Amino acid sequence: MSVKGIVTYRSAGSSKITLLDTFEIFNGILRKKVKKLKLYAGDFVEGEVVDNNFVIEKIQQRKNLLNRPPVANVDNVLVVNAIKNPDFDNFLLDNFLAVYEFKGLEPVIIFNKTDLLKDDEKELLQKWMNVYKEAGYETIAISAIEDEGVENLKDFIKGDISILAGPSGVGKSSILSRLLNIPIKIGEVSEKLKRGRHTTTAVTLYRFNENSFIADTPGFSRVEATYFMDKKEVRLYFREFLRYSCKFPDCTHTNEPDCEVKKKAVKRGEISCDRFKSYLKIMNYYWEELEKIC
Ligand SMILES: Nc1nc2c(ncn2[C@@H]2O[C@H](COP(=O)(O)OP(=O)(O)O)[C@@H](O)[C@H]2O)c(=O)[nH]1
Ligand SMILES: [Mg+2]
Ligand SMILES: [Zn+2]
């Protein structure tokens, strides 16, 4: 009888399949005819259970594929930040967002370590949350250490495949521990998670909250949008810009006349000065009026 599962572990030579109804785990074996197809963590598969093995007969069509780490069918990329320890770097976040948009993945912005914030820093958190909400992103504040906001995050990503991303030190592994109900040791992550993290070729999707799945990433400290895409394309991956139609449909919102984004949206405060500053920095363009407006 044919059953359905999801690939929850994948290394060069092996795989594990978790059944979608009972969550039992089996070793994956590729039937000869599907052998040539690549198999990734996150793939939904159909096949037969024979002894301790899941014989894969079919890999369902993928909706997307992230390459680092290799995971298919990603519903949310949780881009984790902190306001302090480390300081929030909005330029880095804007680059991350552009890159994930470019790859067709849905970013969700997480602000972790809210427990560290004094009153004035809480205002800063509110400011940044509004900037990204107004740009069109889901924005969630949490404290992995104090277990605040984590239930909210769990509800939001229930039933989904999610990936933790963001710079190192922001608390990705701590959030993972919290989601999996593994005790967090301050200043370190559990051995169980560490082992998975350091195996570069293997990917594990952890199951939590019944039918939700998540993977950790090692974390980047630098990401440049123009490393992934053409400069002229960056305008497409600042999603709030897409609400405006400029005189030229391929307007880069830099030196063109009658630019709705520049002349109207930024001036009227509909597009945040900080987001537009990041954009112009990526484009390497200086707009003298910006300082007067912002
Ligand atoms: N105060 C505070 N510290 C946190 C929180 N989450 C993580 N940390 C600490 O931040 C450091 C980095 O955490 P880690 O999970 O390894 O970050 P990663 O590099 O993004 O995986 C560790 O010392 C954690 O204990 C939090 O919510 N509040
Ligand atoms: Mg980590
Ligand atoms: Zn324009």
mmCIF file of all heavy atoms in Angstrom, residues 214-256:
data_model
loop_
_atom_site.group_PDB
_atom_site.id
_atom_site.type_symbol
_atom_site.label_atom_id
_atom_site.label_comp_id
_atom_site.label_asym_id
_atom_site.label_seq_id
_atom_site.Cartn_x
_atom_site.Cartn_y
_atom_site.Cartn_z
ATOM 1 N N ILE A 214 11.490 22.005 11.077
ATOM 2 C CA ILE A 214 12.415 23.148 11.052
ATOM 3 C C ILE A 214 13.872 22.685 10.940
ATOM 4 O O ILE A 214 14.239 21.623 11.437
ATOM 5 C CB ILE A 214 12.213 24.044 12.304
ATOM 6 C CG1 ILE A 214 12.936 25.385 12.120
ATOM 7 C CG2 ILE A 214 12.638 23.333 13.588
ATOM 8 C CD1 ILE A 214 12.390 26.491 12.964
ATOM 9 N N ALA A 215 14.684 23.496 10.253
ATOM 10 C CA ALA A 215 16.124 23.245 10.163
ATOM 11 C C ALA A 215 16.875 24.509 10.546
ATOM 12 O O ALA A 215 16.402 25.622 10.324
ATOM 13 C CB ALA A 215 16.499 22.825 8.743
ATOM 14 N N ASP A 216 18.042 24.322 11.128
ATOM 15 C CA ASP A 216 18.918 25.421 11.534
ATOM 16 C C ASP A 216 19.902 25.702 10.396
ATOM 17 O O ASP A 216 20.152 24.834 9.561
ATOM 18 C CB ASP A 216 19.700 24.978 12.785
ATOM 19 C CG ASP A 216 20.261 26.146 13.577
ATOM 20 O OD1 ASP A 216 20.046 27.307 13.194
ATOM 21 O OD2 ASP A 216 20.934 25.870 14.592
ATOM 22 N N THR A 217 20.461 26.902 10.358
ATOM 23 C CA THR A 217 21.549 27.175 9.406
ATOM 24 C C THR A 217 22.748 27.696 10.192
ATOM 25 O O THR A 217 22.595 28.188 11.295
ATOM 26 C CB THR A 217 21.175 28.236 8.346
ATOM 27 O OG1 THR A 217 20.908 29.471 9.004
ATOM 28 C CG2 THR A 217 19.980 27.828 7.529
ATOM 29 N N PRO A 218 23.942 27.575 9.628
ATOM 30 C CA PRO A 218 25.123 28.024 10.347
ATOM 31 C C PRO A 218 25.159 29.539 10.570
ATOM 32 O O PRO A 218 25.793 30.000 11.477
ATOM 33 C CB PRO A 218 26.286 27.594 9.453
ATOM 34 C CG PRO A 218 25.710 27.053 8.208
ATOM 35 C CD PRO A 218 24.243 26.980 8.325
ATOM 36 N N GLY A 219 24.499 30.326 9.764
ATOM 37 C CA GLY A 219 24.504 31.774 9.982
ATOM 38 C C GLY A 219 25.601 32.479 9.212
ATOM 39 O O GLY A 219 26.747 32.038 9.190
ATOM 40 N N PHE A 220 25.236 33.571 8.580
ATOM 41 C CA PHE A 220 26.198 34.346 7.787
ATOM 42 C C PHE A 220 26.396 35.676 8.505
ATOM 43 O O PHE A 220 25.486 36.181 9.114
ATOM 44 C CB PHE A 220 25.622 34.704 6.419
ATOM 45 C CG PHE A 220 25.024 33.571 5.657
ATOM 46 C CD1 PHE A 220 23.874 32.927 6.079
ATOM 47 C CD2 PHE A 220 25.615 33.169 4.469
ATOM 48 C CE1 PHE A 220 23.310 31.901 5.334
ATOM 49 C CE2 PHE A 220 25.046 32.153 3.724
ATOM 50 C CZ PHE A 220 23.905 31.516 4.161
ATOM 51 N N SER A 221 27.551 36.263 8.390
ATOM 52 C CA SER A 221 27.695 37.608 8.944
ATOM 53 C C SER A 221 27.667 38.649 7.832
ATOM 54 O O SER A 221 27.525 39.835 8.080
ATOM 55 C CB SER A 221 28.973 37.719 9.766
ATOM 56 O OG SER A 221 30.033 37.184 9.014
ATOM 57 N N ARG A 222 27.793 38.198 6.587
ATOM 58 C CA ARG A 222 27.702 39.123 5.458
ATOM 59 C C ARG A 222 26.910 38.488 4.340
ATOM 60 O O ARG A 222 27.145 37.349 3.977
ATOM 61 C CB ARG A 222 29.100 39.450 4.936
ATOM 62 C CG ARG A 222 29.763 40.590 5.662
ATOM 63 C CD ARG A 222 31.046 40.984 4.953
ATOM 64 N NE ARG A 222 30.806 41.413 3.576
ATOM 65 C CZ ARG A 222 31.805 41.754 2.740
ATOM 66 N NH1 ARG A 222 33.043 41.681 3.118
ATOM 67 N NH2 ARG A 222 31.516 42.156 1.525
ATOM 68 N N VAL A 223 25.966 39.231 3.807
ATOM 69 C CA VAL A 223 25.237 38.781 2.628
ATOM 70 C C VAL A 223 25.068 39.991 1.737
ATOM 71 O O VAL A 223 24.652 41.046 2.203
ATOM 72 C CB VAL A 223 23.832 38.231 2.987
ATOM 73 C CG1 VAL A 223 23.034 37.941 1.731
ATOM 74 C CG2 VAL A 223 23.948 36.968 3.815
ATOM 75 N N GLU A 224 25.429 39.855 0.467
ATOM 76 C CA GLU A 224 25.248 40.968 -0.450
ATOM 77 C C GLU A 224 24.277 40.579 -1.544
ATOM 78 O O GLU A 224 24.505 39.612 -2.271
ATOM 79 C CB GLU A 224 26.592 41.364 -1.069
ATOM 80 C CG GLU A 224 27.430 42.178 -0.101
ATOM 81 C CD GLU A 224 28.799 42.490 -0.653
ATOM 82 O OE1 GLU A 224 28.897 42.799 -1.857
ATOM 83 O OE2 GLU A 224 29.758 42.415 0.126
ATOM 84 N N ALA A 225 23.208 41.363 -1.643
ATOM 85 C CA ALA A 225 22.166 41.067 -2.636
ATOM 86 C C ALA A 225 22.756 40.985 -4.039
ATOM 87 O O ALA A 225 22.400 40.092 -4.814
ATOM 88 C CB ALA A 225 21.078 42.133 -2.583
ATOM 89 N N THR A 226 23.685 41.878 -4.364
ATOM 90 C CA THR A 226 24.207 41.927 -5.745
ATOM 91 C C THR A 226 25.151 40.764 -6.060
ATOM 92 O O THR A 226 25.571 40.589 -7.195
ATOM 93 C CB THR A 226 24.936 43.250 -6.020
ATOM 94 O OG1 THR A 226 25.868 43.466 -4.970
ATOM 95 C CG2 THR A 226 23.959 44.402 -6.095
ATOM 96 N N TYR A 227 25.460 39.944 -5.044
ATOM 97 C CA TYR A 227 26.217 38.732 -5.304
ATOM 98 C C TYR A 227 25.300 37.693 -5.947
ATOM 99 O O TYR A 227 25.734 36.829 -6.697
ATOM 100 C CB TYR A 227 26.792 38.218 -3.977
ATOM 101 C CG TYR A 227 27.616 36.970 -4.088
ATOM 102 C CD1 TYR A 227 28.964 37.036 -4.438
ATOM 103 C CD2 TYR A 227 27.049 35.720 -3.841
ATOM 104 C CE1 TYR A 227 29.721 35.885 -4.542
ATOM 105 C CE2 TYR A 227 27.805 34.560 -3.944
ATOM 106 C CZ TYR A 227 29.137 34.653 -4.296
ATOM 107 O OH TYR A 227 29.872 33.513 -4.407
ATOM 108 N N PHE A 228 24.007 37.793 -5.636
ATOM 109 C CA PHE A 228 23.024 36.812 -6.117
ATOM 110 C C PHE A 228 22.261 37.276 -7.356
ATOM 111 O O PHE A 228 21.734 36.468 -8.091
ATOM 112 C CB PHE A 228 22.009 36.498 -5.012
ATOM 113 C CG PHE A 228 22.605 35.791 -3.842
ATOM 114 C CD1 PHE A 228 23.214 36.501 -2.809
ATOM 115 C CD2 PHE A 228 22.568 34.405 -3.772
ATOM 116 C CE1 PHE A 228 23.779 35.837 -1.727
ATOM 117 C CE2 PHE A 228 23.124 33.741 -2.697
ATOM 118 C CZ PHE A 228 23.741 34.466 -1.675
ATOM 119 N N MET A 229 22.133 38.578 -7.529
ATOM 120 C CA MET A 229 21.292 39.067 -8.629
ATOM 121 C C MET A 229 21.911 40.290 -9.270
ATOM 122 O O MET A 229 22.810 40.912 -8.715
ATOM 123 C CB MET A 229 19.889 39.400 -8.108
ATOM 124 C CG MET A 229 19.867 40.602 -7.181
ATOM 125 S SD MET A 229 18.394 40.688 -6.176
ATOM 126 C CE MET A 229 18.846 39.659 -4.774
ATOM 127 N N ASP A 230 21.376 40.602 -10.438
ATOM 128 C CA ASP A 230 21.808 41.768 -11.165
ATOM 129 C C ASP A 230 21.355 43.033 -10.427
ATOM 130 O O ASP A 230 20.281 43.060 -9.859
ATOM 131 C CB ASP A 230 21.117 41.710 -12.536
ATOM 132 C CG ASP A 230 21.949 42.347 -13.589
ATOM 133 O OD1 ASP A 230 22.945 41.717 -13.990
ATOM 134 O OD2 ASP A 230 21.603 43.477 -13.989
ATOM 135 N N LYS A 231 22.184 44.045 -10.468
ATOM 136 C CA LYS A 231 21.850 45.294 -9.793
ATOM 137 C C LYS A 231 20.471 45.835 -10.224
ATOM 138 O O LYS A 231 19.695 46.303 -9.400
ATOM 139 C CB LYS A 231 22.917 46.332 -10.134
ATOM 140 C CG LYS A 231 23.444 47.074 -8.931
ATOM 141 C CD LYS A 231 24.536 47.995 -9.388
ATOM 142 C CE LYS A 231 25.036 48.857 -8.260
ATOM 143 N NZ LYS A 231 26.091 49.740 -8.719
ATOM 144 N N LYS A 232 20.200 45.727 -11.501
ATOM 145 C CA LYS A 232 18.930 46.255 -12.045
ATOM 146 C C LYS A 232 17.707 45.511 -11.512
ATOM 147 O O LYS A 232 16.586 45.988 -11.615
ATOM 148 C CB LYS A 232 18.929 46.132 -13.584
ATOM 149 C CG LYS A 232 19.826 47.122 -14.274
ATOM 150 C CD LYS A 232 19.450 47.200 -15.751
ATOM 151 C CE LYS A 232 20.471 47.984 -16.540
ATOM 152 N NZ LYS A 232 21.414 47.082 -17.260
ATOM 153 N N GLU A 233 17.947 44.316 -10.983
ATOM 154 C CA GLU A 233 16.837 43.478 -10.512
ATOM 155 C C GLU A 233 16.490 43.718 -9.048
ATOM 156 O O GLU A 233 15.428 43.293 -8.595
ATOM 157 C CB GLU A 233 17.242 42.005 -10.614
ATOM 158 C CG GLU A 233 17.080 41.361 -11.965
ATOM 159 C CD GLU A 233 17.398 39.889 -11.839
ATOM 160 O OE1 GLU A 233 18.588 39.554 -11.652
ATOM 161 O OE2 GLU A 233 16.459 39.086 -11.891
ATOM 162 N N VAL A 234 17.394 44.363 -8.317
ATOM 163 C CA VAL A 234 17.200 44.490 -6.869
ATOM 164 C C VAL A 234 15.859 45.171 -6.553
ATOM 165 O O VAL A 234 15.172 44.817 -5.595
ATOM 166 C CB VAL A 234 18.376 45.261 -6.214
ATOM 167 C CG1 VAL A 234 18.174 45.400 -4.712
ATOM 168 C CG2 VAL A 234 19.699 44.552 -6.499
ATOM 169 N N ARG A 235 15.464 46.120 -7.403
ATOM 170 C CA ARG A 235 14.201 46.857 -7.212
ATOM 171 C C ARG A 235 12.984 45.921 -7.074
ATOM 172 O O ARG A 235 11.999 46.273 -6.445
ATOM 173 C CB ARG A 235 13.964 47.813 -8.386
ATOM 174 C CG ARG A 235 13.745 47.072 -9.687
ATOM 175 C CD ARG A 235 13.683 47.979 -10.901
ATOM 176 N NE ARG A 235 13.588 47.144 -12.097
ATOM 177 C CZ ARG A 235 12.428 46.767 -12.645
ATOM 178 N NH1 ARG A 235 11.288 47.175 -12.125
ATOM 179 N NH2 ARG A 235 12.420 46.006 -13.714
ATOM 180 N N LEU A 236 13.086 44.734 -7.674
ATOM 181 C CA LEU A 236 11.965 43.788 -7.636
ATOM 182 C C LEU A 236 11.845 43.094 -6.288
ATOM 183 O O LEU A 236 10.825 42.486 -5.981
ATOM 184 C CB LEU A 236 12.139 42.721 -8.730
ATOM 185 C CG LEU A 236 12.197 43.224 -10.162
ATOM 186 C CD1 LEU A 236 12.586 42.103 -11.111
ATOM 187 C CD2 LEU A 236 10.844 43.823 -10.548
ATOM 188 N N TYR A 237 12.899 43.133 -5.495
ATOM 189 C CA TYR A 237 12.937 42.361 -4.258
ATOM 190 C C TYR A 237 12.899 43.235 -3.006
ATOM 191 O O TYR A 237 13.197 42.772 -1.913
ATOM 192 C CB TYR A 237 14.131 41.403 -4.305
ATOM 193 C CG TYR A 237 14.052 40.581 -5.582
ATOM 194 C CD1 TYR A 237 14.972 40.739 -6.614
ATOM 195 C CD2 TYR A 237 12.982 39.709 -5.776
ATOM 196 C CE1 TYR A 237 14.848 40.027 -7.800
ATOM 197 C CE2 TYR A 237 12.851 38.994 -6.958
ATOM 198 C CZ TYR A 237 13.786 39.160 -7.969
ATOM 199 O OH TYR A 237 13.645 38.466 -9.143
ATOM 200 N N PHE A 238 12.523 44.495 -3.182
ATOM 201 C CA PHE A 238 12.096 45.352 -2.069
ATOM 202 C C PHE A 238 10.583 45.432 -2.252
ATOM 203 O O PHE A 238 10.074 46.216 -3.043
ATOM 204 C CB PHE A 238 12.753 46.738 -2.159
ATOM 205 C CG PHE A 238 14.085 46.805 -1.481
ATOM 206 C CD1 PHE A 238 15.173 46.119 -1.991
ATOM 207 C CD2 PHE A 238 14.262 47.541 -0.301
ATOM 208 C CE1 PHE A 238 16.407 46.154 -1.345
ATOM 209 C CE2 PHE A 238 15.493 47.577 0.349
ATOM 210 C CZ PHE A 238 16.554 46.887 -0.176
ATOM 211 N N ARG A 239 9.855 44.540 -1.577
ATOM 212 C CA ARG A 239 8.463 44.289 -1.963
ATOM 213 C C ARG A 239 7.569 45.520 -1.901
ATOM 214 O O ARG A 239 6.614 45.615 -2.676
ATOM 215 C CB ARG A 239 7.865 43.119 -1.181
ATOM 216 C CG ARG A 239 7.835 43.266 0.316
ATOM 217 C CD ARG A 239 6.956 42.180 0.959
ATOM 218 N NE ARG A 239 7.465 40.808 0.793
ATOM 219 C CZ ARG A 239 6.958 39.758 1.400
ATOM 220 N NH1 ARG A 239 5.932 39.897 2.233
ATOM 221 N NH2 ARG A 239 7.449 38.566 1.211
ATOM 222 N N GLU A 240 7.869 46.470 -1.018
ATOM 223 C CA GLU A 240 6.982 47.646 -0.931
ATOM 224 C C GLU A 240 7.092 48.549 -2.157
ATOM 225 O O GLU A 240 6.190 49.329 -2.438
ATOM 226 C CB GLU A 240 7.235 48.424 0.362
ATOM 227 C CG GLU A 240 8.591 49.109 0.480
ATOM 228 C CD GLU A 240 9.667 48.219 1.091
ATOM 229 O OE1 GLU A 240 9.771 47.035 0.694
ATOM 230 O OE2 GLU A 240 10.429 48.727 1.944
ATOM 231 N N PHE A 241 8.184 48.433 -2.914
ATOM 232 C CA PHE A 241 8.330 49.257 -4.125
ATOM 233 C C PHE A 241 7.340 48.830 -5.202
ATOM 234 O O PHE A 241 6.991 49.602 -6.082
ATOM 235 C CB PHE A 241 9.748 49.140 -4.728
ATOM 236 C CG PHE A 241 10.874 49.628 -3.860
ATOM 237 C CD1 PHE A 241 12.190 49.538 -4.310
ATOM 238 C CD2 PHE A 241 10.645 50.173 -2.606
ATOM 239 C CE1 PHE A 241 13.249 49.974 -3.523
ATOM 240 C CE2 PHE A 241 11.697 50.607 -1.805
ATOM 241 C CZ PHE A 241 13.000 50.496 -2.271
ATOM 242 N N LEU A 242 6.933 47.566 -5.135
ATOM 243 C CA LEU A 242 6.082 47.007 -6.188
ATOM 244 C C LEU A 242 4.666 47.590 -6.164
ATOM 245 O O LEU A 242 3.885 47.382 -7.081
ATOM 246 C CB LEU A 242 6.028 45.473 -6.071
ATOM 247 C CG LEU A 242 7.399 44.782 -6.061
ATOM 248 C CD1 LEU A 242 7.236 43.274 -5.921
ATOM 249 C CD2 LEU A 242 8.194 45.095 -7.330
ATOM 250 N N ARG A 243 4.357 48.359 -5.100
ATOM 251 C CA ARG A 243 3.033 48.989 -5.013
ATOM 252 C C ARG A 243 2.942 50.234 -5.890
ATOM 253 O O ARG A 243 1.878 50.811 -6.041
ATOM 254 C CB ARG A 243 2.752 49.418 -3.568
ATOM 255 C CG ARG A 243 2.721 48.282 -2.575
ATOM 256 C CD ARG A 243 2.592 48.838 -1.152
ATOM 257 N NE ARG A 243 2.939 47.824 -0.172
ATOM 258 C CZ ARG A 243 3.476 48.091 1.011
ATOM 259 N NH1 ARG A 243 3.728 49.343 1.365
ATOM 260 N NH2 ARG A 243 3.752 47.116 1.842
ATOM 261 N N TYR A 244 4.071 50.666 -6.449
ATOM 262 C CA TYR A 244 4.094 51.929 -7.202
ATOM 263 C C TYR A 244 4.438 51.692 -8.669
ATOM 264 O O TYR A 244 5.214 50.799 -8.987
ATOM 265 C CB TYR A 244 5.112 52.891 -6.569
ATOM 266 C CG TYR A 244 4.763 53.182 -5.132
ATOM 267 C CD1 TYR A 244 5.248 52.357 -4.109
ATOM 268 C CD2 TYR A 244 3.900 54.216 -4.801
ATOM 269 C CE1 TYR A 244 4.883 52.581 -2.787
ATOM 270 C CE2 TYR A 244 3.526 54.445 -3.485
ATOM 271 C CZ TYR A 244 4.024 53.632 -2.486
ATOM 272 O OH TYR A 244 3.652 53.839 -1.191
ATOM 273 N N SER A 245 3.846 52.527 -9.536
ATOM 274 C CA SER A 245 4.201 52.447 -10.963
ATOM 275 C C SER A 245 4.867 53.752 -11.365
ATOM 276 O O SER A 245 4.249 54.814 -11.335
ATOM 277 C CB SER A 245 2.975 52.250 -11.844
ATOM 278 O OG SER A 245 1.949 51.620 -11.146
ATOM 279 N N CYS A 246 6.119 53.644 -11.735
ATOM 280 C CA CYS A 246 6.872 54.825 -12.154
ATOM 281 C C CYS A 246 6.643 55.040 -13.652
ATOM 282 O O CYS A 246 6.047 54.205 -14.333
ATOM 283 C CB CYS A 246 8.353 54.627 -11.871
ATOM 284 S SG CYS A 246 8.673 54.285 -10.132
ATOM 285 N N LYS A 247 7.137 56.175 -14.167
ATOM 286 C CA LYS A 247 6.974 56.476 -15.594
ATOM 287 C C LYS A 247 7.557 55.342 -16.452
ATOM 288 O O LYS A 247 6.928 54.884 -17.401
ATOM 289 C CB LYS A 247 7.680 57.795 -15.908
ATOM 290 C CG LYS A 247 7.515 58.224 -17.353
ATOM 291 C CD LYS A 247 8.172 59.564 -17.615
ATOM 292 C CE LYS A 247 8.094 59.909 -19.095
ATOM 293 N NZ LYS A 247 8.951 61.058 -19.422
ATOM 294 N N PHE A 248 8.757 54.910 -16.076
ATOM 295 C CA PHE A 248 9.367 53.783 -16.799
ATOM 296 C C PHE A 248 9.120 52.499 -16.010
ATOM 297 O O PHE A 248 9.436 52.431 -14.828
ATOM 298 C CB PHE A 248 10.877 54.002 -16.962
ATOM 299 C CG PHE A 248 11.209 55.252 -17.726
ATOM 300 C CD1 PHE A 248 11.734 56.363 -17.067
ATOM 301 C CD2 PHE A 248 10.977 55.320 -19.092
ATOM 302 C CE1 PHE A 248 12.024 57.528 -17.768
ATOM 303 C CE2 PHE A 248 11.263 56.475 -19.790
ATOM 304 C CZ PHE A 248 11.783 57.589 -19.137
ATOM 305 N N PRO A 249 8.559 51.501 -16.667
ATOM 306 C CA PRO A 249 8.243 50.271 -15.927
ATOM 307 C C PRO A 249 9.469 49.581 -15.330
ATOM 308 O O PRO A 249 9.353 48.849 -14.348
ATOM 309 C CB PRO A 249 7.569 49.374 -16.975
ATOM 310 C CG PRO A 249 7.684 50.055 -18.282
ATOM 311 C CD PRO A 249 8.126 51.455 -18.074
ATOM 312 N N ASP A 250 10.638 49.810 -15.912
ATOM 313 C CA ASP A 250 11.852 49.191 -15.351
ATOM 314 C C ASP A 250 12.666 50.200 -14.533
ATOM 315 O O ASP A 250 13.872 50.049 -14.372
ATOM 316 C CB ASP A 250 12.706 48.580 -16.469
ATOM 317 C CG ASP A 250 13.133 49.621 -17.496
ATOM 318 O OD1 ASP A 250 12.633 50.770 -17.421
ATOM 319 O OD2 ASP A 250 13.958 49.295 -18.374
ATOM 320 N N CYS A 251 11.966 51.222 -14.036
ATOM 321 C CA CYS A 251 12.617 52.284 -13.236
ATOM 322 C C CYS A 251 13.434 51.671 -12.091
ATOM 323 O O CYS A 251 12.936 50.827 -11.346
ATOM 324 C CB CYS A 251 11.536 53.201 -12.677
ATOM 325 S SG CYS A 251 12.168 54.613 -11.759
ATOM 326 N N THR A 252 14.672 52.095 -11.952
ATOM 327 C CA THR A 252 15.493 51.593 -10.842
ATOM 328 C C THR A 252 15.405 52.518 -9.630
ATOM 329 O O THR A 252 16.138 52.334 -8.650
ATOM 330 C CB THR A 252 16.977 51.458 -11.261
ATOM 331 O OG1 THR A 252 17.480 52.765 -11.576
ATOM 332 C CG2 THR A 252 17.155 50.534 -12.450
ATOM 333 N N HIS A 253 14.551 53.524 -9.695
ATOM 334 C CA HIS A 253 14.331 54.466 -8.592
ATOM 335 C C HIS A 253 15.625 55.169 -8.177
ATOM 336 O O HIS A 253 15.879 55.375 -6.988
ATOM 337 C CB HIS A 253 13.686 53.773 -7.381
ATOM 338 C CG HIS A 253 12.652 52.756 -7.755
ATOM 339 N ND1 HIS A 253 11.632 53.025 -8.650
ATOM 340 C CD2 HIS A 253 12.486 51.449 -7.380
ATOM 341 C CE1 HIS A 253 10.884 51.919 -8.792
ATOM 342 N NE2 HIS A 253 11.387 50.961 -8.041
ATOM 343 N N THR A 254 16.449 55.482 -9.172
ATOM 344 C CA THR A 254 17.683 56.228 -8.864
ATOM 345 C C THR A 254 17.695 57.535 -9.655
ATOM 346 O O THR A 254 17.267 58.554 -9.128
ATOM 347 C CB THR A 254 18.937 55.366 -9.145
ATOM 348 O OG1 THR A 254 18.919 54.886 -10.485
ATOM 349 C CG2 THR A 254 19.031 54.201 -8.182
ATOM 350 N N ASN A 255 18.115 57.482 -10.905
ATOM 351 C CA ASN A 255 18.274 58.737 -11.667
ATOM 352 C C ASN A 255 17.151 59.013 -12.666
ATOM 353 O O ASN A 255 17.220 59.967 -13.426
ATOM 354 C CB ASN A 255 19.626 58.724 -12.384
ATOM 355 C CG ASN A 255 19.774 57.505 -13.292
ATOM 356 O OD1 ASN A 255 18.878 56.658 -13.338
ATOM 357 N ND2 ASN A 255 20.861 57.411 -14.014
ATOM 358 N N GLU A 256 16.090 58.175 -12.670
ATOM 359 C CA GLU A 256 15.026 58.367 -13.652
ATOM 360 C C GLU A 256 14.101 59.525 -13.267
ATOM 361 O O GLU A 256 13.856 59.748 -12.091
ATOM 362 C CB GLU A 256 14.185 57.077 -13.785
ATOM 363 C CG GLU A 256 14.934 55.889 -14.352
ATOM 364 C CD GLU A 256 15.583 55.031 -13.277
ATOM 365 O OE1 GLU A 256 15.767 55.493 -12.134
ATOM 366 O OE2 GLU A 256 15.916 53.868 -13.588
#
